[in-house]
Amino acid sequence: MNLARHSITATNPIQIFDTRFEADCQIFTTTTPAGFAVYQTWPLKLIRKREFTGGTLAAVVPCHTSSLLFLLGGGRSPLYPPNKVVVWDDAAGEEVAELEFRERVRGLACRRGWLAVSFRRRLVLFEVGETIVRRNEFDTCDNPRGLLAMATGAYSTLLAFPGRQMGHVQLVHLPPCIPPSPVGPPPSVPPSRPPPPPSKHPVSIIAAHESSLNTLTVPPSGRMLATTSSRGTLVRIWDTLSGKLIRVFRRGSDKAEIYGVAFRPDEKEVCVWSDKGTVHVFSLMSGPSNRHSSLSPLASLIPYFDSEWSYAQYRIPAQASHISLSSSTSSSRPSTADVTDEEKCMVGWIEAPSDRSEPGRDPPMEYQLIALTYSGGWYRLSLPQGTSNISSPSTGGTPLSSSPPRASSHSRPRTNSVSSITSRTDKGKERERDRDRKDNRELILQEYRKYGRWDGWG
């Protein structure tokens, strides 16, 4: 009997073109060859689906939790030309407007009352109401990714997009975002009031990186800006009012493509994910939460050792595309067998009940992460034990987590030989990688499900 290795390939694998959260991560949209669907983020639930037979979509951009969606055609047989943005009312199940341009649309961002459309070298701004009115146009540097970011919180004003020079970010302030209309009985907490106007004029340009930008992210308030470059090693956090650099986080020592950055709703943490298949979590609070290099005394000579590293991470398991039948037993299979490429994913923050509550008491709400992979995986991840991630309106300055084990930071006698220091750089980086494995705490997988098919999943 021939027991040679065989492969069984799925006859109907999940194929997802695009998936994205709305501003508050309460819902997300996913685009497949069959059409698109809208899901409740947590608990995972299929809200509605739309199937099309005339072509495929590249993306479906939700506008908060309203029924208004912005559709982009794409794929081998696009449903709409790539130079069009179609406004779709999902409550009525029909197109209500379309915007046609002279070139391919690269990116979209929206909030209540406003829509921004990015192209290769420009950005066009629209006001969305009973009618859609073109309000402004801005020139940008070469922007093939269509990068732009818009603050979506109540009374926020910020719109960020690449400037005219490579690595620069231009900041534009729009009219304040209208808060959502209350639904149901009056809330017990009084509605938030508009913030006072800034005492000085906010900056309009931030020289963020020397190389080309890879991602732009702002929190709902628009008070900060997260930028990454094509090098994929650093995440820089900026104050959008003063333009000052607040923090610099290091994702890793090797080059990577960072897919995205997401601020926690209370702006105390950020998560970063890349093509390395890992989700990193960094603290924005003052304190020893993030890991630092044991060679930080050498930071004045080698800036690499002055970096802040994530205090927690999670590796998204790669989904095997087939089942292997081999004559060898699983115990004799090497750990590197059937290694598949890492998955592309999208990550967002939610509030969910904690599983670490005391008996007899209602579990407190805490911040958790939802990771959506392009092969249909839905992961709910909680922060490690010992971190202060309880959902609270307080924005105090206490550290978010207990300090992980760190090497002693006592001062060391410096040598006058710079060459001897630089010769130890590679050894220092190897030591950092070993320390990553020891000190870094894993995010906890709370739940795993599948999404992306119309056959009952979700």
Side-chain angles (χ1 to χ4, degrees):
M1 182 177 180
N2 184 10
L3 293 178
R5 177 174 172 178
H6 300 276
S7 295
I8 301 176
T9 304
T11 57
N12 189 21
I14 301 176
Q15 185 179 5
I16 294 175
F17 296 149
D18 182 79
T19 186
R20 62 184 67 201
F21 294 99
E22 57 88 25
D24 301 319
C25 291
Q26 297 182 26
I27 63 173
F28 68 90
T29 60
T30 182
T31 308
T32 74
F36 74 88
V38 181
Y39 285 87
Q40 178 179 284
T41 304
W42 187 84
L44 180 62
K45 178 183 177 182
L46 177 62
I47 299 176
R48 53 187 176 269
K49 63 177 182 179
R50 299 289 180 184
E51 296 183 353
F52 301 101
T53 57
T56 56
L57 297 170
V60 175
V61 181
C63 185
H64 298 276
T65 55
S66 69
S67 62
L68 199 64
L69 303 171
F70 299 98
L71 311 185
L72 292 176
R76 294 183 178 179
S77 177
L79 183 64
Y80 305 108
N83 63 327
K84 280 188 178 182
V85 176
V86 174
V87 185
W88 177 274
D89 185 351
D90 207 44
E94 62 182 7
E95 305 171 13
V96 294
E98 68 176 34
L99 303 173
E100 186 173 0
F101 306 94
R102 297 189 303 270
E103 58 183 309
R104 173 188 165 191
V105 175
R106 302 282 176 166
L108 292 177
C110 61
R111 65 165 221 205
R112 295 181 188 89
W114 291 88
L115 169 69
V117 184
S118 64
F119 303 92
R120 189 72 184 246
R121 290 187 175 274
R122 64 190 179 107
L123 179 140
V124 182
L125 188 62
F126 296 89
E127 185 174 1
V128 181
E130 294 296 330
T131 59
I132 300 178
V133 182
R134 181 173 177 152
R135 290 301 184 191
N136 213 333
E137 181 174 334
F138 305 91
D139 293 331
T140 69
C141 64
D142 189 27
N143 184 22
R145 297 176 179 271
L147 301 180
L148 73 166
M150 185 181 289
T152 58
Y155 308 111
S156 61
T157 62
L158 185 66
L159 170 65
F161 52 91
R164 295 184 180 183
Q165 296 185 36
M166 183 177 65
H168 288 200
V169 181
Q170 184 168 348
L171 307 180
V172 173
H173 289 271
L174 308 175
C177 183
I178 303 172
S181 302
V183 179
S188 57
V189 180
S192 59
R193 295 182 178 181
S199 57
K200 60 181 181 178
H201 194 275
V203 299
S204 59
I205 294 291
I206 293 178
H209 298 270
E210 295 181 357
S211 55
S212 59
L213 297 170
N214 199 68
T215 65
L216 288 177
T217 308
V218 298
S221 68
R223 290 191 291 258
M224 291 184 286
L225 167 71
T227 64
T228 66
S229 71
S230 56
R231 295 179 180 176
T233 55
L234 297 178
V235 180
R236 292 175 176 166
I237 310 297
W238 306 84
D239 184 309
T240 56
L241 181 62
S242 64
K244 294 182 179 180
L245 181 63
I246 302 175
R247 304 289 282 273
V248 179
F249 300 134
R250 182 170 290 277
R251 179 212 56 80
S253 57
D254 54 341
K255 185 176 180 179
E257 180 182 358
I258 293 180
Y259 289 146
V261 180
F263 285 89
R264 209 170 90 169
D266 59 0
E267 301 178 10
K268 292 183 178 181
E269 290 184 337
V270 292
C271 68
V272 181
W273 60 100
S274 69
D275 63 349
K276 299 298 182 181
T278 51
V279 179
H280 296 265
V281 180
F282 300 86
S283 173
L284 286 168
M285 305 300 292
S286 58
S289 297
N290 299 322
R291 295 174 296 113
H292 295 262
S293 172
S294 59
L295 302 178
S296 55
L298 304 178
S300 59
L301 298 173
I302 306 176
Y304 174 87
F305 296 129
D306 194 30
S307 303
E308 288 188 68
W309 301 72
S310 62
Y311 77 86
Q313 72 174 28
Y314 182 80
R315 178 170 292 278
I316 301 293
Q319 301 294 318
S321 59
H322 61 268
I323 303 173
S324 296
L325 300 179
S326 177
S327 56
S328 60
T329 61
S330 59
S331 59
S332 63
R333 180 179 302 173
S335 58
T336 57
D338 291 332
V339 175
T340 59
D341 293 336
E342 304 295 351
E343 289 196 80
K344 187 175 181 181
C345 65
M346 177 67 68
V347 183
W349 292 91
I350 64 165
E351 293 184 60
S354 173
D355 65 334
R356 298 187 283 266
S357 60
E358 298 180 4
R361 294 186 178 183
D362 293 334
M365 300 296 287
E366 69 177 15
Y367 290 108
Q368 297 181 356
L369 290 169
I370 297 293
L372 307 172
T373 69
Y374 278 54
S375 63
W378 179 94
Y379 298 79
R380 181 165 65 91
L381 308 170
S382 63
L383 300 177
Q385 294 187 7
T387 60
S388 176
N389 62 331
I390 302 301
S391 173
S392 171
S394 173
T395 58
T398 57
L400 281 183
S401 65
S402 59
S403 175
R406 296 176 61 187
S408 174
S409 60
H410 62 272
S411 61
R412 299 181 180 181
R414 291 187 179 180
T415 175
N416 293 328
S417 173
V418 177
S419 60
S420 63
I421 295 175
T422 56
S423 65
R424 295 197 301 267
T425 302
D426 293 338
K427 292 182 179 180
K429 290 185 178 182
E430 291 177 2
R431 194 177 304 169
E432 287 298 317
R433 295 189 186 99
D434 293 338
R435 193 167 170 272
D436 284 349
R437 293 189 288 268
K438 295 179 181 178
D439 290 354
N440 206 26
R441 291 179 291 174
E442 293 290 324
L443 297 169
I444 303 168
L445 178 61
Q446 298 290 345
E447 188 178 1
Y448 170 76
R449 295 183 67 184
K450 299 288 288 184
Y451 78 100
R453 274 196 182 138
W454 314 152
D455 59 0
W457 283 349

